[in-house]
Amino acid sequence: MSKPLLEVIGLRRIFGAEPQLGVLHADLCLQESEKVSIVGSSGSGKSTLLSMLAGLQRPDCGSILFAGRNLWELTTRERCRIRQHQICFISQFTSLIESLTTLDNLLLAQRLSGVDFSPSSRDQAYQCLERVDLKEQANTPAKFLSGGEVRRAIFARAMLSEPKLILADEPTSNLDSQMEQNLFDLLIDICQQSDSALIVVTHNVSLADRLDRRLTLEDGILHGDPTHNPPRAESQPQLEQNKSLVLFSRRALLIGSVLSLVSVPVWIERNAQRLRNKSLLERSKLERLTFSGLGTELVDIKLDRKDMYIGSVTIDNLDVTQDLFLLPTNVEIFVQAGTAWSPFPAVWSLSSQSVVHVDRQRVLTFEFSDLPEKYTELVPGYLHVRINLTYLIANSPQPQYSPLERRDSFFVYLLPINPNPERLELNHFPGQPPLFIPMPPH
Ligand code: ADP
Ligand code: MG
């Protein structure tokens, strides 16, 4: 059998202690052009999983081999290049720039990934629009497109970049069922034509079953073979939906019978639904910003004053069309001692203690000094350190909705203040031993 396109082993990304949220364990092997679906109830970790596969969110441990390269061992630049050319991520909230025409939206994506506006790329973009039945709308500003047309344009944009892998997180949600079906078919068709592999998250089990395989994420664990899953996993979303529909229509019915008007329950239902959708949408947007729209990287640790380590982390807003405000709240440093992680004090530097508008790349720094005399050495002479950074994220400086908390963990080998030269010798470093060695997630 040929080498898989994607190999995911023991992937984990956990938020919170009890209950543990996020992705607890995911293994997955995907061949070139293979198409799989992932279903699972809300909060089961689907978006977290996809954002790790897309190179947007660093796992706590585990590995993602994409075309044989470990995605999270690459430099940010290398990972970005893969994202630009080989992996296309479509989230539920992926949108177009409203003031540009449909065609320019496609060409802009090409331009940003380094391809010039040549006549041939324009022709290709036209062909892609034709393929999704949008040629007529090529010169229409995106703000005049309908919801379904926007989705089609996003698929056309994906098609234009000819990715090896398309990751689509609920790409057909909030559409009527006929439209959802048509778009889903279109997505499969596009993948078939461009020979792209596909991982698509959907709540619609019958659509999910059209692909080569259906996987289920249940409480953070990815199950491969649906026939071995407990039936709860596939029936739950439907069940929840039915339950709330029954409750909702009961309430509407009650009000309707009191007022003795047939049209009132319908009106109330529509308005309540609209309001609910609006606040759900705002909340989901913020969740997306917090968990997929923010890139963080530990870029440096230096010894500034005697005995004081200064760590620097870069913060990137990956979707500059959205405002993102971040308040650093907590830094925790843990040093491995035996099988335990012992905590040590650390603080955000004074300059990093206020709200930051992440409208461009920002750098935050944190400081720590007291580290233990005794520690477990995985690399001779080095401490094994885990750094947990926590921030609150909002989409405005005076947020209407409670900000969300995000935590990133970084692992490094760190040179102690008083290193042991004999231990360091064992590493055979060509020059000075580095102050820190960043580690891939493990
Ligand atoms: P799904 O897409 O299946 O609805 P998500 O992957 O968005 O689920 O989220 C899984 C769980 O993890 C949710 O309870 C969510 O609130 C939580 N979560 C996701 N990312 C973070 C984060 N960075 N910090 C804290 N909690 C998070
Ligand atoms: Mg999700």
Side-chain angles (χ1 to χ4, degrees), residues 337-392:
T339 53
W341 288 100
S342 313
F344 291 87
V347 289
W348 288 106
S349 308
L350 215 53
S351 59
S352 298
Q353 288 184 7
S354 50
V355 175
V356 184
H357 183 189
V358 192
D359 50 353
R360 56 190 157 85
Q361 186 175 80
R362 301 285 182 169
V363 179
L364 299 176
T365 59
F366 54 92
E367 304 171 8
F368 55 99
S369 53
D370 299 322
L371 291 179
E373 297 280 314
K374 290 210 165 83
Y375 43 86
T376 298
E377 295 178 18
L378 300 186
V379 170
Y382 279 78
L383 302 131
H384 183 200
V385 178
R386 175 189 182 128
I387 301 166
N388 284 354
L389 304 178
T390 313
Y391 346 79
L392 289 179

CSV table of all heavy atoms in Angstrom, one decimal, residues 337-392:
chain,number,residue,atom,x,y,z
A,337,ALA,N,10.1,16.4,37.8
A,337,ALA,CA,10.9,15.7,38.9
A,337,ALA,C,10.3,14.3,39.0
A,337,ALA,O,9.2,14.2,39.5
A,337,ALA,CB,10.8,16.5,40.2
A,338,GLY,N,11.1,13.3,38.5
A,338,GLY,CA,10.5,12.0,38.5
A,338,GLY,C,9.4,11.9,37.5
A,338,GLY,O,9.5,12.5,36.4
A,339,THR,N,8.3,11.4,38.0
A,339,THR,CA,7.1,11.3,37.1
A,339,THR,C,6.2,12.5,37.3
A,339,THR,O,5.2,12.7,36.6
A,339,THR,CB,6.3,10.0,37.3
A,339,THR,OG1,6.0,10.0,38.7
A,339,THR,CG2,7.1,8.8,36.8
A,340,ALA,N,6.5,13.4,38.3
A,340,ALA,CA,5.7,14.5,38.6
A,340,ALA,C,6.2,15.8,38.0
A,340,ALA,O,7.3,16.0,37.6
A,340,ALA,CB,5.6,14.7,40.1
A,341,TRP,N,5.3,16.8,37.8
A,341,TRP,CA,5.6,18.1,37.4
A,341,TRP,C,5.5,19.1,38.6
A,341,TRP,O,4.4,19.3,39.1
A,341,TRP,CB,4.7,18.6,36.3
A,341,TRP,CG,4.8,18.0,35.0
A,341,TRP,CD1,4.1,16.9,34.5
A,341,TRP,CD2,5.8,18.3,34.0
A,341,TRP,NE1,4.5,16.6,33.2
A,341,TRP,CE2,5.6,17.4,32.9
A,341,TRP,CE3,6.9,19.2,33.9
A,341,TRP,CZ2,6.4,17.4,31.7
A,341,TRP,CZ3,7.6,19.2,32.7
A,341,TRP,CH2,7.4,18.3,31.7
A,342,SER,N,6.7,19.6,39.1
A,342,SER,CA,6.6,20.5,40.2
A,342,SER,C,6.4,22.0,39.8
A,342,SER,O,7.1,22.4,38.9
A,342,SER,CB,7.9,20.5,41.0
A,342,SER,OG,8.2,19.2,41.2
A,343,PRO,N,5.4,22.7,40.4
A,343,PRO,CA,5.2,24.1,39.9
A,343,PRO,C,6.2,25.1,40.5
A,343,PRO,O,6.7,24.9,41.6
A,343,PRO,CB,3.8,24.3,40.5
A,343,PRO,CG,3.6,23.4,41.7
A,343,PRO,CD,4.5,22.2,41.4
A,344,PHE,N,6.5,26.1,39.7
A,344,PHE,CA,7.4,27.2,40.1
A,344,PHE,C,6.8,28.5,39.7
A,344,PHE,O,6.1,28.6,38.7
A,344,PHE,CB,8.8,27.0,39.6
A,344,PHE,CG,9.5,25.8,40.2
A,344,PHE,CD1,9.3,24.5,39.6
A,344,PHE,CD2,10.2,25.9,41.3
A,344,PHE,CE1,9.9,23.4,40.2
A,344,PHE,CE2,10.8,24.8,41.9
A,344,PHE,CZ,10.6,23.6,41.4
A,345,PRO,N,7.1,29.6,40.5
A,345,PRO,CA,6.4,30.8,40.2
A,345,PRO,C,6.9,31.5,39.0
A,345,PRO,O,8.1,31.4,38.6
A,345,PRO,CB,6.8,31.7,41.5
A,345,PRO,CG,7.9,31.0,42.1
A,345,PRO,CD,7.9,29.6,41.7
A,346,ALA,N,6.0,32.2,38.3
A,346,ALA,CA,6.3,32.9,37.1
A,346,ALA,C,5.3,34.0,37.0
A,346,ALA,O,4.2,33.9,37.5
A,346,ALA,CB,6.3,32.0,35.9
A,347,VAL,N,5.6,35.1,36.3
A,347,VAL,CA,4.7,36.2,36.1
A,347,VAL,C,4.8,36.8,34.6
A,347,VAL,O,5.9,36.6,34.0
A,347,VAL,CB,5.0,37.4,37.0
A,347,VAL,CG1,4.6,37.1,38.4
A,347,VAL,CG2,6.4,37.9,36.9
A,348,TRP,N,3.7,37.4,34.2
A,348,TRP,CA,3.9,38.1,32.9
A,348,TRP,C,4.7,39.4,33.2
A,348,TRP,O,4.6,40.0,34.3
A,348,TRP,CB,2.5,38.6,32.4
A,348,TRP,CG,1.6,37.5,31.9
A,348,TRP,CD1,0.6,36.9,32.5
A,348,TRP,CD2,1.8,36.8,30.6
A,348,TRP,NE1,0.1,35.9,31.7
A,348,TRP,CE2,0.8,35.8,30.6
A,348,TRP,CE3,2.7,36.9,29.6
A,348,TRP,CZ2,0.7,34.9,29.5
A,348,TRP,CZ3,2.5,36.1,28.5
A,348,TRP,CH2,1.6,35.1,28.4
A,349,SER,N,5.6,39.8,32.3
A,349,SER,CA,6.3,41.0,32.5
A,349,SER,C,5.3,42.2,32.5
A,349,SER,O,4.2,42.1,32.0
A,349,SER,CB,7.3,41.3,31.3
A,349,SER,OG,8.0,40.1,31.0
A,350,LEU,N,5.8,43.3,33.2
A,350,LEU,CA,4.9,44.4,33.4
A,350,LEU,C,4.3,44.9,32.1
A,350,LEU,O,3.1,45.2,32.0
A,350,LEU,CB,5.8,45.6,34.0
A,350,LEU,CG,5.0,46.4,35.0
A,350,LEU,CD1,4.4,45.6,36.1
A,350,LEU,CD2,6.0,47.4,35.6
A,351,SER,N,5.1,44.9,31.0
A,351,SER,CA,4.6,45.4,29.7
A,351,SER,C,3.6,44.5,29.1
A,351,SER,O,3.0,44.8,28.1
A,351,SER,CB,5.8,45.5,28.8
A,351,SER,OG,6.4,44.3,28.6
A,352,SER,N,3.4,43.3,29.6
A,352,SER,CA,2.5,42.3,29.0
A,352,SER,C,1.3,42.0,30.0
A,352,SER,O,0.7,41.0,29.9
A,352,SER,CB,3.2,41.0,28.8
A,352,SER,OG,4.2,41.2,27.8
A,353,GLN,N,1.0,43.0,30.8
A,353,GLN,CA,0.0,42.7,31.8
A,353,GLN,C,-1.4,43.4,31.5
A,353,GLN,O,-2.2,43.5,32.3
A,353,GLN,CB,0.4,43.1,33.2
A,353,GLN,CG,1.4,42.2,33.7
A,353,GLN,CD,1.9,42.5,35.2
A,353,GLN,OE1,1.3,43.3,35.8
A,353,GLN,NE2,2.9,41.8,35.6
A,354,SER,N,-1.4,44.0,30.3
A,354,SER,CA,-2.7,44.7,29.9
A,354,SER,C,-3.3,44.1,28.7
A,354,SER,O,-2.7,43.3,28.0
A,354,SER,CB,-2.4,46.2,29.8
A,354,SER,OG,-1.4,46.3,28.9
A,355,VAL,N,-4.5,44.6,28.3
A,355,VAL,CA,-5.2,44.1,27.2
A,355,VAL,C,-4.4,44.4,25.9
A,355,VAL,O,-4.0,45.6,25.7
A,355,VAL,CB,-6.6,44.7,27.1
A,355,VAL,CG1,-7.3,44.3,25.8
A,355,VAL,CG2,-7.5,44.3,28.3
A,356,VAL,N,-4.3,43.5,25.0
A,356,VAL,CA,-3.6,43.7,23.8
A,356,VAL,C,-4.5,43.5,22.6
A,356,VAL,O,-5.3,42.6,22.5
A,356,VAL,CB,-2.5,42.6,23.6
A,356,VAL,CG1,-1.6,42.8,22.4
A,356,VAL,CG2,-1.6,42.4,24.8
A,357,HIS,N,-4.5,44.5,21.7
A,357,HIS,CA,-5.3,44.4,20.5
A,357,HIS,C,-4.4,43.6,19.5
A,357,HIS,O,-3.4,44.2,19.0
A,357,HIS,CB,-5.7,45.8,20.0
A,357,HIS,CG,-6.5,45.8,18.8
A,357,HIS,ND1,-6.8,46.9,18.0
A,357,HIS,CD2,-7.2,44.8,18.1
A,357,HIS,CE1,-7.6,46.6,17.0
A,357,HIS,NE2,-7.8,45.3,17.1
A,358,VAL,N,-4.8,42.4,19.1
A,358,VAL,CA,-4.0,41.6,18.2
A,358,VAL,C,-4.3,41.9,16.8
A,358,VAL,O,-4.9,41.1,16.0
A,358,VAL,CB,-4.1,40.1,18.5
A,358,VAL,CG1,-3.0,39.3,17.8
A,358,VAL,CG2,-4.1,39.9,20.0
A,359,ASP,N,-4.0,43.2,16.3
A,359,ASP,CA,-4.2,43.6,14.9
A,359,ASP,C,-3.0,43.3,14.1
A,359,ASP,O,-3.1,43.4,12.8
A,359,ASP,CB,-4.6,45.0,14.9
A,359,ASP,CG,-3.6,45.9,15.6
A,359,ASP,OD1,-2.7,45.3,16.3
A,359,ASP,OD2,-3.7,47.1,15.5
A,360,ARG,N,-1.9,42.9,14.7
A,360,ARG,CA,-0.7,42.4,13.9
A,360,ARG,C,0.0,41.5,14.9
A,360,ARG,O,-0.5,41.3,16.0
A,360,ARG,CB,0.1,43.6,13.5
A,360,ARG,CG,0.6,44.5,14.7
A,360,ARG,CD,1.3,45.8,14.2
A,360,ARG,NE,1.2,46.8,15.2
A,360,ARG,CZ,2.0,46.9,16.2
A,360,ARG,NH1,3.0,46.1,16.4
A,360,ARG,NH2,1.9,47.9,17.1
A,361,GLN,N,1.1,41.0,14.5
A,361,GLN,CA,1.8,40.1,15.4
A,361,GLN,C,2.3,40.8,16.7
A,361,GLN,O,2.9,41.9,16.6
A,361,GLN,CB,3.0,39.4,14.7
A,361,GLN,CG,3.6,38.4,15.7
A,361,GLN,CD,4.7,37.6,15.0
A,361,GLN,OE1,5.9,38.1,15.0
A,361,GLN,NE2,4.5,36.4,14.5
A,362,ARG,N,1.9,40.3,17.8
A,362,ARG,CA,2.3,40.9,19.1
A,362,ARG,C,3.3,39.9,19.8
A,362,ARG,O,3.2,38.7,19.6
A,362,ARG,CB,1.1,41.1,20.0
A,362,ARG,CG,0.1,42.0,19.3
A,362,ARG,CD,0.6,43.5,19.4
A,362,ARG,NE,-0.4,44.4,18.8
A,362,ARG,CZ,-0.3,45.7,19.0
A,362,ARG,NH1,0.7,46.2,19.6
A,362,ARG,NH2,-1.2,46.5,18.4
A,363,VAL,N,4.1,40.5,20.6
A,363,VAL,CA,5.0,39.7,21.4
A,363,VAL,C,4.7,39.9,22.9
A,363,VAL,O,4.7,41.1,23.3
A,363,VAL,CB,6.5,40.0,21.1
A,363,VAL,CG1,7.4,39.1,22.0
A,363,VAL,CG2,6.8,39.8,19.6
A,364,LEU,N,4.5,38.9,23.6
A,364,LEU,CA,4.3,39.0,25.1
A,364,LEU,C,5.5,38.3,25.8
A,364,LEU,O,6.1,37.4,25.3
A,364,LEU,CB,3.1,38.2,25.5
A,364,LEU,CG,1.7,38.7,25.0
A,364,LEU,CD1,0.6,37.8,25.4
A,364,LEU,CD2,1.4,40.2,25.4
A,365,THR,N,5.9,38.9,26.9
A,365,THR,CA,7.0,38.3,27.6
A,365,THR,C,6.6,37.9,29.1
A,365,THR,O,5.7,38.5,29.7
A,365,THR,CB,8.2,39.2,27.7
A,365,THR,OG1,7.9,40.4,28.3
A,365,THR,CG2,8.8,39.5,26.3
A,366,PHE,N,7.2,36.9,29.6
A,366,PHE,CA,7.0,36.5,31.0
A,366,PHE,C,8.3,36.1,31.6
A,366,PHE,O,9.3,36.0,30.9
A,366,PHE,CB,6.0,35.2,31.0
A,366,PHE,CG,6.5,34.1,30.2
A,366,PHE,CD1,7.3,33.1,30.7
A,366,PHE,CD2,6.2,34.0,28.8
A,366,PHE,CE1,7.8,32.0,30.0
A,366,PHE,CE2,6.6,32.9,28.1
A,366,PHE,CZ,7.4,31.9,28.6
A,367,GLU,N,8.3,36.1,33.0
A,367,GLU,CA,9.6,36.0,33.7
A,367,GLU,C,9.5,35.0,34.8
A,367,GLU,O,8.5,34.8,35.4
A,367,GLU,CB,9.9,37.4,34.3
A,367,GLU,CG,9.9,38.5,33.3
A,367,GLU,CD,10.0,39.9,33.9
A,367,GLU,OE1,10.2,40.0,35.2
A,367,GLU,OE2,9.9,40.9,33.2
A,368,PHE,N,10.6,34.3,35.0
A,368,PHE,CA,10.7,33.4,36.1
A,368,PHE,C,12.2,33.2,36.5
A,368,PHE,O,13.1,33.5,35.7
A,368,PHE,CB,10.0,32.1,35.8
A,368,PHE,CG,10.6,31.4,34.6
A,368,PHE,CD1,11.6,30.4,34.7
A,368,PHE,CD2,10.2,31.7,33.3
A,368,PHE,CE1,12.1,29.7,33.6
A,368,PHE,CE2,10.7,31.1,32.2
A,368,PHE,CZ,11.7,30.1,32.3
A,369,SER,N,12.4,32.8,37.8
A,369,SER,CA,13.7,32.7,38.2
A,369,SER,C,14.0,31.4,39.0
A,369,SER,O,14.8,30.6,38.6
A,369,SER,CB,14.2,33.9,39.0
A,369,SER,OG,13.3,34.1,40.0
A,370,ASP,N,13.3,31.3,40.1
A,370,ASP,CA,13.6,30.2,41.0
A,370,ASP,C,13.3,28.8,40.4
A,370,ASP,O,12.1,28.5,40.3
A,370,ASP,CB,12.8,30.3,42.3
A,370,ASP,CG,13.1,31.6,43.0
A,370,ASP,OD1,14.3,32.0,43.0
A,370,ASP,OD2,12.2,32.3,43.5
A,371,LEU,N,14.3,28.1,40.0
A,371,LEU,CA,14.1,26.8,39.5
A,371,LEU,C,14.8,25.8,40.5
A,371,LEU,O,15.7,26.2,41.2
A,371,LEU,CB,14.6,26.6,38.1
A,371,LEU,CG,13.8,27.4,37.1
A,371,LEU,CD1,14.3,27.3,35.7
A,371,LEU,CD2,12.3,27.0,37.1
A,372,PRO,N,14.4,24.5,40.5
A,372,PRO,CA,14.9,23.6,41.5
A,372,PRO,C,16.3,23.2,41.3
A,372,PRO,O,16.8,23.3,40.2
A,372,PRO,CB,14.0,22.4,41.4
A,372,PRO,CG,13.5,22.5,40.0
A,372,PRO,CD,13.4,23.9,39.6
A,373,GLU,N,17.0,22.8,42.4
A,373,GLU,CA,18.4,22.3,42.3
A,373,GLU,C,18.3,20.8,41.7
A,373,GLU,O,19.2,20.4,40.9
A,373,GLU,CB,19.0,22.1,43.7
A,373,GLU,CG,19.1,23.5,44.4
A,373,GLU,CD,20.4,24.2,43.9
A,373,GLU,OE1,21.4,23.6,43.8
A,373,GLU,OE2,20.3,25.4,43.6
A,374,LYS,N,17.3,20.1,42.0
A,374,LYS,CA,17.2,18.7,41.6
A,374,LYS,C,16.0,18.6,40.6
A,374,LYS,O,14.9,19.1,40.8
A,374,LYS,CB,16.9,17.8,42.8
A,374,LYS,CG,18.0,17.7,43.7
A,374,LYS,CD,17.9,16.3,44.4
A,374,LYS,CE,19.2,15.9,45.1
A,374,LYS,NZ,19.4,16.5,46.4
A,375,TYR,N,16.3,17.9,39.5
A,375,TYR,CA,15.3,17.8,38.4
A,375,TYR,C,15.6,16.5,37.6
A,375,TYR,O,16.7,16.0,37.7
A,375,TYR,CB,15.3,19.0,37.6
A,375,TYR,CG,16.6,19.5,37.2
A,375,TYR,CD1,17.3,19.0,36.1
A,375,TYR,CD2,17.3,20.5,38.0
A,375,TYR,CE1,18.6,19.4,35.7
A,375,TYR,CE2,18.6,20.9,37.6
A,375,TYR,CZ,19.2,20.4,36.5
A,375,TYR,OH,20.5,20.8,36.2
A,376,THR,N,14.7,16.1,36.8
A,376,THR,CA,14.9,14.9,36.0
A,376,THR,C,15.5,15.4,34.7
A,376,THR,O,15.0,16.4,34.1
A,376,THR,CB,13.5,14.2,35.7
A,376,THR,OG1,13.0,13.8,36.9
A,376,THR,CG2,13.7,13.1,34.8
A,377,GLU,N,16.6,14.8,34.2
A,377,GLU,CA,17.2,15.2,33.0
A,377,GLU,C,16.9,14.3,31.9
A,377,GLU,O,17.3,13.1,31.9
A,377,GLU,CB,18.7,15.2,33.2
A,377,GLU,CG,19.2,16.2,34.2
A,377,GLU,CD,20.7,16.1,34.4
A,377,GLU,OE1,21.4,15.6,33.5
A,377,GLU,OE2,21.2,16.6,35.4
A,378,LEU,N,16.1,14.7,30.9
A,378,LEU,CA,15.9,13.9,29.7
A,378,LEU,C,17.0,14.2,28.7
A,378,LEU,O,17.4,13.3,28.0
A,378,LEU,CB,14.5,14.2,29.1
A,378,LEU,CG,13.3,14.0,30.0
A,378,LEU,CD1,12.0,14.2,29.2
A,378,LEU,CD2,13.3,12.6,30.6
A,379,VAL,N,17.5,15.4,28.7
A,379,VAL,CA,18.7,15.8,28.0
A,379,VAL,C,19.8,16.1,29.1
A,379,VAL,O,19.5,16.9,30.0
A,379,VAL,CB,18.5,17.0,27.1
A,379,VAL,CG1,19.8,17.5,26.5
A,379,VAL,CG2,17.5,16.7,26.0
A,380,PRO,N,20.9,15.5,29.0
A,380,PRO,CA,21.9,15.7,30.1
A,380,PRO,C,22.2,17.2,30.4
A,380,PRO,O,22.4,18.0,29.5
A,380,PRO,CB,23.2,15.0,29.6
A,380,PRO,CG,22.7,14.0,28.6
A,380,PRO,CD,21.4,14.6,28.0
A,381,GLY,N,22.0,17.5,31.7
A,381,GLY,CA,22.3,18.9,32.2
A,381,GLY,C,21.2,19.9,32.0
A,381,GLY,O,21.3,21.0,32.4
A,382,TYR,N,20.1,19.4,31.4
A,382,TYR,CA,18.9,20.3,31.2
A,382,TYR,C,17.7,20.0,32.0
A,382,TYR,O,17.4,18.8,32.3
A,382,TYR,CB,18.5,20.3,29.7
A,382,TYR,CG,19.4,21.1,28.8
A,382,TYR,CD1,20.6,20.6,28.4
A,382,TYR,CD2,19.0,22.3,28.3
A,382,TYR,CE1,21.4,21.4,27.5
A,382,TYR,CE2,19.8,23.1,27.5
A,382,TYR,CZ,21.0,22.6,27.1
A,382,TYR,OH,21.8,23.4,26.3
A,383,LEU,N,17.0,21.0,32.4
A,383,LEU,CA,15.7,20.8,33.1
A,383,LEU,C,14.6,20.6,32.0
A,383,LEU,O,14.8,21.1,30.9
A,383,LEU,CB,15.2,22.1,33.8
A,383,LEU,CG,16.1,22.7,34.9
A,383,LEU,CD1,16.3,24.2,34.6
A,383,LEU,CD2,15.5,22.5,36.2
A,384,HIS,N,13.6,19.8,32.3
A,384,HIS,CA,12.5,19.6,31.4
A,384,HIS,C,11.4,20.4,31.9
A,384,HIS,O,10.8,20.2,33.0
A,384,HIS,CB,12.2,18.1,31.4
A,384,HIS,CG,11.1,17.7,30.4
A,384,HIS,ND1,10.3,16.6,30.5
A,384,HIS,CD2,10.6,18.3,29.3
A,384,HIS,CE1,9.5,16.5,29.5
A,384,HIS,NE2,9.6,17.6,28.8
A,385,VAL,N,11.0,21.4,31.1
A,385,VAL,CA,10.1,22.5,31.6
A,385,VAL,C,8.8,22.5,30.8
A,385,VAL,O,8.9,22.5,29.6
A,385,VAL,CB,10.8,23.9,31.6
A,385,VAL,CG1,9.8,24.9,32.1
A,385,VAL,CG2,12.0,23.8,32.5
A,386,ARG,N,7.7,22.7,31.5
A,386,ARG,CA,6.4,22.9,30.8
A,386,ARG,C,6.0,24.3,31.2
A,386,ARG,O,6.0,24.7,32.3
A,386,ARG,CB,5.4,21.9,31.4
A,386,ARG,CG,4.0,22.1,30.8
A,386,ARG,CD,3.0,21.2,31.6
A,386,ARG,NE,1.7,21.4,31.0
A,386,ARG,CZ,0.9,20.4,30.5
A,386,ARG,NH1,1.3,19.2,30.6
A,386,ARG,NH2,-0.2,20.7,30.0
A,387,ILE,N,5.6,25.0,30.2
A,387,ILE,CA,5.1,26.4,30.4
A,387,ILE,C,3.7,26.5,30.0
A,387,ILE,O,3.3,26.2,28.8
A,387,ILE,CB,6.0,27.4,29.5
A,387,ILE,CG1,7.5,27.3,29.9
A,387,ILE,CG2,5.5,28.8,29.7
A,387,ILE,CD1,8.4,27.9,28.9
A,388,ASN,N,2.8,26.9,30.9
A,388,ASN,CA,1.4,27.0,30.6
A,388,ASN,C,1.1,28.5,30.6
A,388,ASN,O,1.3,29.2,31.6
A,388,ASN,CB,0.5,26.4,31.7
A,388,ASN,CG,0.5,24.9,31.6
A,388,ASN,OD1,1.0,24.4,30.6
A,388,ASN,ND2,-0.2,24.3,32.5
A,389,LEU,N,0.6,29.0,29.5
A,389,LEU,CA,0.2,30.4,29.4
A,389,LEU,C,-1.3,30.5,29.2
A,389,LEU,O,-1.9,29.8,28.4
A,389,LEU,CB,0.9,31.1,28.2
A,389,LEU,CG,2.4,31.0,28.1
A,389,LEU,CD1,2.9,31.6,26.8
A,389,LEU,CD2,3.0,31.6,29.3
A,390,THR,N,-1.9,31.4,30.0
A,390,THR,CA,-3.4,31.5,29.9
A,390,THR,C,-3.8,33.0,29.6
A,390,THR,O,-3.1,33.9,30.1
A,390,THR,CB,-4.0,31.1,31.2
A,390,THR,OG1,-3.5,29.9,31.7
A,390,THR,CG2,-5.5,30.9,31.1
A,391,TYR,N,-4.8,33.1,28.7
A,391,TYR,CA,-5.2,34.5,28.3
A,391,TYR,C,-6.8,34.4,28.3
A,391,TYR,O,-7.4,33.4,28.0
A,391,TYR,CB,-4.7,34.9,27.0
A,391,TYR,CG,-3.6,34.1,26.4
A,391,TYR,CD1,-3.8,32.9,25.8
A,391,TYR,CD2,-2.3,34.6,26.5
A,391,TYR,CE1,-2.8,32.2,25.3
A,391,TYR,CE2,-1.2,33.9,26.0
A,391,TYR,CZ,-1.5,32.6,25.4
A,391,TYR,OH,-0.4,31.9,24.9
A,392,LEU,N,-7.3,35.6,28.4
A,392,LEU,CA,-8.8,35.8,28.1
A,392,LEU,C,-8.9,36.4,26.8
A,392,LEU,O,-8.2,37.4,26.4
A,392,LEU,CB,-9.4,36.7,29.2
A,392,LEU,CG,-9.6,36.1,30.6
A,392,LEU,CD1,-10.2,37.1,31.5
A,392,LEU,CD2,-10.4,34.8,30.5
